Amino acid sequence: QVRLVESGGGSVQAGGSLRLSCSASGVTFSTRCMGWFRQAPGKEREGVARIDRDGTTSHADSVKGRFTISADNTKNTLYLQMNSLKPEDTAMYYCAAGYEYVLSTFRPADYLHWGQGTQVTVAS
């Protein structure tokens, strides 16, 4: 019943920008911890940015100052604005919704619903 769909990925040159979006049905973003994760081949899935249930936003140290997470609650849509992209940002990017009881977390295991991902490739 719950469906998350990411879009906005693509290929860009280093220093470029992309904005990812995640539209949802069957779950209300404003009542869940919502996060963006990424996974490169051979690497572990890592948290990139999240909005906690109280509205607080957090960003991984590797993307602070470059990426910004936001949400449009009227559209039930999550966004990730990515600026000053680097080759190391190349990965599959996923949006996810946490379990009902989760308030604040960057642990993938604490997220219940996942989208299929959108590929981001950054060339040097």
Side-chain angles (χ1 to χ4, degrees):
Q1 190 74 355
V2 174
R3 185 175 71 253
L4 305 180
V5 181
E6 304 97 334
S7 62
S11 298
V12 298
Q13 297 298 118
S17 298
L18 287 172
R19 188 168 84 148
L20 308 183
S21 63
C22 173
S23 61
S25 62
V27 63
T28 301
F29 281 10
S30 62
T31 66
R32 303 292 188 95
C33 182
M34 299 296 304
W36 284 101
F37 295 79
R38 66 186 182 186
Q39 187 167 22
K43 304 294 184 180
E44 295 295 315
R45 187 167 298 188
E46 63 175 344
V48 176
R50 71 173 192 264
I51 301 178
D52 298 334
R53 285 189 61 187
D54 67 357
T56 301
T57 61
S58 299
H59 299 79
D61 289 342
S62 60
V63 306
K64 283 182 179 177
R66 300 188 298 119
F67 292 10
T68 304
I69 190 171
S70 63
D72 184 338
N73 291 332
T74 65
K75 297 181 178 180
N76 214 34
T77 301
L78 190 71
Y79 301 98
L80 184 67
Q81 179 65 48
M82 304 185 294
N83 298 324
S84 301
L85 283 161
K86 305 175 180 179
E88 64 193 88
D89 296 318
T90 295
M92 185 73 75
Y93 283 71
Y94 302 89
C95 67
Y99 286 90
E100 295 92 331
Y101 52 83
V102 171
L103 301 178
S104 175
T105 180
F106 258 145
R107 296 201 311 155
D110 288 330
Y111 286 78
L112 177 62
H113 305 292
W114 294 82
Q116 294 301 304
T118 185
Q119 179 68 39
V120 171
T121 302
V122 184
S124 60

